[in-house]
Amino acid sequence: MAIDFSKFKALTFDCYGTLIDWESGLVSSLQPFLKTKGRDLEADEILSLYASIEPAAEKGKFKSYKDVLRECMHAFSQQLAFRLHGEEENLLSRGIQNWQPFPDSVAALTELQKHFKLCVVSNVDKDLVAHSLRWLQVPFDAVVTAEDVGSYKPAHGHFLEAIRRLDLPKSEILHVASSQYHDIAPARALGLASVWVNRRRGQEGTGATPASSAQADLEVGSLKELVDLVLLP
């Protein structure tokens, strides 16, 4: 489906999975650690297990994302029958700070900021996303975290706060994300146009995110593909 990009004044982005290579980060953090516990899991097994664990950890009374990640580590230990010791529960909250952008992220953001305001809406704490934004090298016009709104996507708080901060009508904001569950579904429910960056194109399964049938207005396989469409004459 074609999108008239000239209608939009701002792009909102999910961070982890869209700009930062979240799945590679999860595997690089968890796989060697699990091997030290005698649990030799393939990458897809780790991601599928994580997809079943994280949403449960985010339910109920709001807690920091660092606490969510600690709960995820404890859930891994329970489901795979091993013990956590000391600082091992903080493995993911330490690791996320150094997870790297996708190869096309920095160049794409650099080009897109010439045409749009840019905003991040992310399910993390403010201090954690600050580390990742340094890797992305581009100043964002707004950054909305779970800590700011007291909820986790797919709840609507991030999107409503982004609309408020950008001070634009919904018709002039385009949401860009890799998770149909966390992002495309709530964007659609709120009447925001969206682009699904299908980072798993050609792979089986939904990786580290729960399955969803939510349909975006446009599907691309990368941010480079999105930039190429934006720049079409």
Side-chain angles (χ1 to χ4, degrees):
M1 183 184 298
I3 284 184
D4 178 5
F5 292 101
S6 66
K7 297 191 311 182
F8 302 107
K9 293 183 179 177
L11 304 181
T12 53
F13 288 89
D14 166 58
C15 185
Y16 300 97
T18 305
L19 305 176
I20 298 291
D21 192 347
W22 183 46
E23 292 190 349
S24 292
L26 284 169
V27 172
S28 66
S29 292
L30 287 166
Q31 196 168 51
F33 170 74
L34 293 174
K35 285 183 179 179
T36 69
K37 301 294 186 178
R39 306 296 185 266
D40 192 4
L41 274 66
E42 297 294 329
D44 283 346
E45 294 177 292
I46 292 171
L47 297 176
S48 179
L49 185 53
Y50 189 86
S52 71
I53 286 172
E54 190 193 57
E58 292 173 342
K59 287 182 179 177
K61 185 178 179 181
F62 180 78
K63 60 184 79 70
S64 74
Y65 193 64
K66 287 184 282 293
D67 283 340
V68 168
L69 292 176
R70 290 186 192 103
E71 287 194 20
C72 288
M73 289 301 299
H74 283 280
F76 266 94
S77 73
Q78 291 164 8
Q79 295 204 28
L80 298 176
F82 65 83
R83 289 174 181 255
L84 286 175
H85 300 286
E87 283 295 304
E88 289 176 345
E89 69 175 5
N90 295 314
L91 176 78
L92 291 175
S93 57
R94 290 195 309 268
I96 195 173
Q97 301 176 33
N98 293 306
W99 295 353
Q100 294 296 297
F102 287 98
D104 62 352
S105 293
V106 173
L109 291 170
T110 300
E111 182 60 40
L112 291 169
Q113 74 172 158
K114 299 174 185 177
H115 308 275
F116 308 97
K117 289 185 175 181
L118 303 183
C119 171
V120 163
V121 291
S122 183
N123 268 359
V124 298
D125 303 333
K126 290 187 282 189
D127 60 333
L128 292 180
V129 80
H131 290 282
S132 298
L133 296 183
R134 286 202 293 269
W135 294 116
L136 294 170
Q137 303 177 34
V138 173
F140 287 86
D141 297 278
V143 178
V144 180
T145 69
E147 184 179 357
D148 292 318
V149 298
S151 63
Y152 289 100
K153 296 180 293 181
H156 294 176
H158 288 77
F159 302 93
L160 297 173
E161 180 63 11
I163 292 166
R164 187 189 72 80
R165 292 192 192 182
L166 291 168
D167 194 25
L168 291 170
K170 289 189 288 186
S171 60
E172 294 179 359
I173 299 171
L174 178 65
H175 187 54
V176 182
S178 64
S179 174
Q180 293 167 289
Y181 169 83
H182 293 98
D183 289 270
I184 302 304
R188 189 169 185 83
L190 287 167
L192 288 167
S194 63
V195 175
W196 178 33
V197 185
N198 184 3
R199 293 288 193 182
R200 292 185 59 82
R201 183 180 279 176
Q203 301 179 64
E204 294 184 1
T206 59
T209 62
S212 170
S213 59
Q215 295 295 308
D217 297 277
L218 175 69
E219 177 187 341
V220 295
S222 67
L223 289 182
K224 181 183 184 305
E225 186 179 339
L226 175 61
V227 170
D228 290 344
L229 291 171
V230 168
L231 297 181
L232 280 176

